[in-house]
Amino acid sequence: MPQNGSTPARLDAVIVGAGFAGLYMLLRLRNAGFSARVIEAGDGVGGTWYWNRYPGARCDIESLQYQYGFNDELPREWTWSEKYATQPEILAYINYVADKYDLRRDIQFDTRVTSASFDERTDRWAVQTDRGDEFSARFCIMATGCLSAAKVPDIPGLERYEGEWYHTGAWPHEGVDFSGKTVGVIGTGSSAIQSIPVIAQQAKHLTVFQRTANFSMPANNGPLDEDYRAKMTTDYTSIRKAARNSPAGILGRPMSDKSVLEASEEERNREFEARWEIGGLGLGGAFNDVGLNLEANAIAAEFVRSKIRAIVKDPETAELLCPRDYPFGTKRLCVDTGYYATFNRDNVKLVNIKGNPIEEITPRGLRTGNAEYEFDAIVFATGFDAMTGALLKIDIRGRDGLTLREKWEHGPRTYLGLQVAGFPNLFTITGPGSPSVLSNMIVSIEQHVDWIFDCLSYLREHELSTIEASREAEDRWVDHVNEIASHTLFPMANSWYIGANIPGKPRVFMPYIGGVGNYAQKCQHIADNGYDGFELDSGRVAVAAG
Ligand code: FAD
Ligand code: N01
């Protein structure tokens, strides 16, 4: 029962999260007459772009591709100002979409879903929130995000720290003015690499604590070319279709079909230089074996290191910034504007904490294994409990009271990253086991939402009550996901893809690396074959929309 004693609101679907995924899911369901409600912890729409307001935050897939593509109208209506849009611009865009389709009336903000349990007597999900609401829904759709559970590391002493501290993934809405302040940034992942150049311009002094150096490519950002914009927006449906059939949901310079080991030095440099000049994530696609063969990979890695050495004046700092602990591209590549050059500034210092971890946050700053530092402000750019974090924070219970936490004790198990055996009518948008974070996520989100929408429509049409991944199909899929990852270099890195950033998290490569296009075809084939690998049941309750 809801804590206020009233009857639970009955819905076709509860959608958790109001980012790109939750909003599009709501739009599709509502347009087809399903009753749906979105529950969102924040007080506005946007998800990632609502929470990550740190200085310098922007997308690193070009704006014209990092947007909804479910119709031609939106891409024509919205004008992006730069090649890579800033966080405020993306947030303005997603608010525009919410207004245009009048989505807010079906979104409950400032509310966190705390539990969801499947009732086998009624084939319905009971969903509860931290505000005492209870919903009874046939479908529970998790649009909770892959990178939404911000992680502040468990370093003792934070509660005694007397300065200001922030996590990039939960940045204050009013912004932070670092002028005249001494600042410490912990971490050198994408969030740090974007924010460090901007903080350095403001702060009196900035100290960057690096545990692992990262590979970062220049954004070469700038105003959007009018001709390119026009070309991309005349027939966006075709552009999106092509992206959906591509390896990573991104259109651009295609991956070369040549091995770097077979290319002459001149050919190698020409291709690497061309991609470095274009900027962004494309360097890894320069040759077809960079992600598969260590020797080939080392050549790409050395190219980036040569660039770092050319930019950073102090040779010792340059060497520290050169990544060496893992193959190129096996941790998420970063894209920056002036990151390496920032270390040429007099007010910026790089501290290598690889052998001397941060042991304590002190009242005035922090202490590493061999030194003590004082700061007016500390920025934790320390990332997320990725892919499973937001889901496992919710007490999710399926058949026989089995919790998702128990089920995923040794790592996430899903069928297609869309469903979990034992949890009927529960869907995960961009769940583990799908291309998700290895792709342009808007493309992957739209593909999942469309698939889930078609599935719910199919159930309605055929008067079916439940759909549930079979254990055999799930086992086969998990084996397949692991098998193809094992042929790549990805498992060699201690990345968040593999859960290595969270102490105690099972070491499992979570996303599906078989490619966006291949994956989408598999999903479609399965649906076309009557949802092969899923168990469909007419159940105990009559099925009707609403
Ligand atoms: P999110 O945007 O994460 O939204 C999930 C929402 O669910 C959040 O608002 C959260 O508050 C809510 N939520 C979670 N749990 C609960 C709960 N229990 N109850 C209520 N609400 C809940 N991807 C790219 O493809 N290209 C990029 O350039 C790119 N840039 C990024 C930059 C940053 C700084 C980060 C952190 C990620 C970036 N990503 C990028 C990944 C990005 O997360 C996705 O592109 C996309 O925005 C995810 O949308 P989503 O709706 O799936 O999830
Ligand atoms: O997080 P991260 P992020 N002591 O996990 C360090 C997307 N994104 O927020 O590598 C010291 O990548 C940690 O060190 P190590 C994108 O998918 C995109 O930056 O574990 N250091 C690492 O350096 C991205 O990959 C954009 O050794 C500690 C850093 O903190 C994902 O979000 C922008 C530590 C965390 O890096 C996450 O990025 C931003 C400790 N105790 C984010 N704990 C775009 O540009 C952690 N670290 C599109």
Side-chain angles (χ1 to χ4, degrees):
M1 281 293 282
Q3 285 159 30
N4 60 15
S6 58
T7 320
R10 283 175 76 83
L11 295 160
D12 287 323
V14 162
I15 301 164
V16 189
F20 273 98
L23 294 189
Y24 181 45
M25 192 75 248
L26 172 63
L27 180 64
R28 289 236 58 188
L29 289 181
R30 213 172 67 180
N31 283 349
F34 288 97
S35 59
R37 191 147 186 84
V38 174
I39 311 298
E40 167 56 54
D43 70 3
V45 298
T48 286
W49 306 102
Y50 168 92
W51 294 105
N52 290 263
R53 300 177 191 230
Y54 59 83
R58 46 173 92 239
C59 56
D60 66 3
I61 287 174
E62 57 178 43
S63 327
L64 280 168
Q65 300 197 50
Y66 191 74
Q67 63 178 339
Y68 284 123
F70 56 78
N71 64 25
D72 268 351
E73 197 181 314
L74 265 177
R76 269 204 293 266
E77 276 173 12
W78 186 265
T79 307
W80 297 104
S81 54
E82 290 177 289
K83 179 177 163 194
Y84 298 110
T86 60
Q87 171 272 327
E89 197 171 6
I90 302 172
L91 188 60
Y93 166 77
I94 199 160
N95 272 283
Y96 170 80
V97 174
D99 290 338
K100 178 178 164 83
Y101 297 106
D102 190 19
L103 296 176
R104 281 174 230 279
R105 67 182 153 92
D106 288 315
I107 306 176
Q108 184 167 328
F109 292 109
D110 267 327
T111 308
R112 186 167 283 282
V113 168
T114 49
S115 68
S117 15
F118 184 70
D119 184 342
E120 292 180 63
R121 291 163 307 165
T122 58
D123 284 346
R124 296 184 78 88
W125 282 91
V127 177
Q128 288 170 324
T129 76
D130 61 354
R131 290 185 157 230
D133 313 284
E134 184 167 322
F135 301 93
S136 168
R138 290 195 46 225
F139 304 101
C140 187
I141 304 175
M142 294 299 176
T144 43
C146 293
L147 295 159
S148 56
K151 175 71 185 164
V152 177
D154 301 320
I155 305 171
L158 186 55
E159 67 293 346
R160 293 194 303 276
Y161 179 55
E162 288 163 7
E164 314 152 25
W165 68 269
Y166 309 97
H167 189 288
T168 49
W171 203 259
H173 288 199
E174 62 282 9
V176 180
D177 184 4
F178 291 112
S179 305
K181 293 188 174 155
T182 53
V183 183
V185 171
I186 304 175
T188 49
S190 298
S191 303
I193 280 175
Q194 287 187 328
S195 57
I196 283 166
V198 187
I199 297 175
Q201 282 170 28
Q202 252 184 27
K204 183 164 88 186
H205 192 272
L206 170 64
T207 308
V208 176
F209 293 92
Q210 172 185 278
R211 189 164 67 183
T212 312
N214 253 309
F215 291 98
S216 187
M217 315 299 122
N220 292 337
N221 195 22
L224 258 182
D225 177 69
E226 259 315 313
D227 292 344
Y228 182 56
R229 191 208 316 272
K231 188 174 138 218
M232 288 288 282
T233 51
T234 346
D235 176 12
Y236 203 78
T237 309
S238 303
I239 296 278
R240 186 45 49 100
K241 200 170 161 202
R244 272 202 187 191
N245 285 316
S246 71
I250 307 169
L251 302 182
R253 198 177 173 96
M255 181 184 275
S256 155
D257 53 7
K258 194 159 188 178
S259 153
V260 70
L261 299 173
E262 286 160 14
S264 67
E265 196 167 335
E266 197 216 325
E267 274 177 297
R268 284 175 192 170
N269 284 337
R270 197 179 335 112
E271 188 59 21
F272 283 140
E273 285 290 352
R275 287 175 186 259
W276 184 267
E277 201 43 48
I278 293 168
L281 296 165
L283 198 85
F287 295 95
N288 65 7
D289 46 0
V290 169
L292 302 172
N293 175 306
L294 260 186
E295 201 187 332
N297 188 282
I299 296 170
E302 192 46 38
F303 174 80
V304 180
R305 287 194 287 262
S306 73
K307 290 290 182 189
I308 298 171
R309 289 188 201 105
I311 300 169
V312 180
K313 291 188 182 132
D314 172 43
E316 214 173 297
T317 306
E319 272 326 298
L320 281 181
L321 286 166
C322 284
R324 294 188 180 281
D325 301 337
Y326 57 94
F328 169 83
T330 54
K331 283 175 92 135
R332 172 66 155 77
L333 289 177
C334 304
V335 174
D336 72 274
T337 298
Y339 174 65
Y340 293 119
T342 296
F343 293 92
N344 293 333
R345 295 175 66 103
D346 291 339
N347 69 333
V348 178
K349 181 180 162 62
L350 180 69
V351 175
N352 173 25
I353 51 168
K354 184 134 199 85
N356 288 297
I358 300 169
E359 289 180 348
E360 187 190 357
I361 306 292
T362 63
R364 310 290 289 275
L366 60 82
R367 187 170 54 73
T368 66
N370 63 352
E372 210 159 326
Y373 302 83
E374 291 190 359
F375 299 115
D376 299 320
I378 297 178
V379 174
F380 290 90
T382 45
F384 302 87
D385 183 353
M387 306 209 66
T388 55
L391 290 166
L392 294 178
K393 276 188 180 180
I394 305 170
D395 182 11
I396 302 174
R397 289 166 191 261
R399 286 196 196 282
D400 304 320
L402 178 72
T403 67
L404 193 64
R405 278 179 212 135
E406 288 161 346
K407 166 103 194 199
W408 285 3
E409 194 187 349
H410 303 294
R413 301 187 70 75
T414 71
Y415 183 32
L416 299 172
L418 276 161
Q419 268 220 323
V420 182
F423 296 78
N425 289 1
L426 177 84
F427 296 90
T428 50
I429 303 179
T430 65
S434 73
S436 58
V437 293
L438 298 177
S439 67
N440 173 352
M441 287 203 69
I442 310 301
V443 171
S444 290
I445 284 169
E446 287 185 352
Q447 185 257 333
H448 263 192
V449 168
D450 290 345
W451 192 95
I452 294 167
F453 172 75
D454 289 346
C455 174
L456 267 52
S457 304
Y458 180 93
L459 296 183
R460 180 164 74 179
E461 208 178 298
H462 293 82
E463 303 201 340
L464 294 163
S465 179
T466 57
I467 178 163
E468 179 181 352
S470 77
R471 234 159 272 272
E472 299 71 40
E474 183 179 85
D475 288 346
R476 274 199 308 275
W477 184 252
V478 171
D479 288 348
H480 174 58
V481 171
N482 291 333
E483 156 80 12
I484 50 174
S486 73
H487 297 303
T488 72
L489 303 176
F490 274 93
M492 295 176 72
N494 286 324
S495 66
W496 59 255
Y497 293 137
I498 217 157
N501 64 328
I502 304 295
K505 193 164 170 171
R507 199 181 164 97
V508 172
F509 188 75
M510 295 181 282
Y512 176 64
I513 202 173
V516 166
N518 290 338
Y519 169 82
Q521 276 170 28
K522 281 184 203 294
C523 290
Q524 194 55 49
H525 182 73
I526 285 164
D528 292 346
N529 282 290
Y531 293 91
D532 193 18
F534 291 93
E535 285 156 8
L536 290 88
D537 191 356
S538 53
R540 296 167 182 79
V541 285
V543 184

